[in-house]
Amino acid sequence: MEKTLIIIKPGAVQRGLIGEVLSRFEKKGLQVCGIKMIRFTEESVSEHYAHLSQKPFFNRIKRAMMISPVIVCCLQGVDAVRVVRHLVGATNGREALPGTVRGDFSMSVQENIVHASDSTDSAETELTRFFSPEELFDYDFNNRGFIYANNEF
Ligand code: TYD
């Protein structure tokens, strides 16, 4: 089982879309293993977007991420990183396909509702950044036999 991180961004929190966005992942069959509300600081958002520090929009997206609290959430499932990226859709909400979170709820590149880890390595780094070990839960997910065939997990 793989774990990945999503962040429900300030725009989705402000627009009352937390439940709607989270339910996309739950209905798909992903298991919520940790969830909390946090507020980004200058330090934590700079670390999170360090790979974009040379981009002209770096300061703009950092400000946008600090404007209100966000929801950080750990999702678990088979191929969770790839599955969640597919559900999230393309970076630009105007290009993202209908049926994806961004395709259905976003008209913007910056205001694109949700962040999702883009590789298993970054998922591990990002989960460690936002969650202490005792904030992530391994628990029986009793409907697994209805989400996967018994040779899939
Ligand atoms: P990036 O990691 O490239 O995309 P993704 O979130 O799909 O993995 O970019 C991080 C965030 O930066 C992106 O979700 C929205 C914002 N962003 C802009 O505001 N303008 C841009 O031109 C790009 C590429 C990203």
Side-chain angles (χ1 to χ4, degrees), residues 17-73:
L17 293 174
I18 297 171
E20 189 102 43
V21 170
L22 198 55
S23 77
R24 296 290 181 106
F25 301 101
E26 280 195 289
K27 286 177 190 160
K28 178 71 173 172
L30 290 146
Q31 181 180 10
V32 175
C33 292
I35 186 163
K36 62 182 176 180
M37 182 171 262
I38 62 154
R39 192 187 269 275
F40 269 108
T41 60
E42 173 69 31
E43 192 187 355
S44 61
V45 78
S46 298
E47 191 183 14
H48 179 68
Y49 281 135
H51 61 293
L52 300 173
S53 63
Q54 300 311 312
K55 301 284 186 188
F57 54 85
F58 184 54
N59 285 327
R60 175 168 54 73
I61 58 168
K62 286 200 304 179
R63 269 199 308 279
M65 289 297 273
M66 289 191 285
I67 212 158
S68 102
V70 299
I71 303 293
V72 289
C73 177

Side-chain angles (χ1 to χ4, degrees), residues 14 29 36 55 62 64 67 71 76 78 103 108 116 130 133 137 139 150:
Q14 293 297 322
K36 62 182 176 180
K55 301 284 186 188
K62 286 200 304 179
I67 212 158
I71 303 293
Q76 177 171 273
V78 174
S108 167
F130 295 108
F137 296 85
Y139 61 95
N150 62 12

Side-chain angles (χ1 to χ4, degrees), residues 9 49 51-52 57 60-61 85 89-91 102 109-110 112 114-116 118:
K9 295 186 179 185
Y49 281 135
H51 61 293
L52 300 173
F57 54 85
R60 175 168 54 73
I61 58 168
R85 289 284 292 189
T91 305
R102 289 168 172 170
V109 179
Q110 173 185 288
N112 62 3
V114 67
H115 164 84
D118 64 3

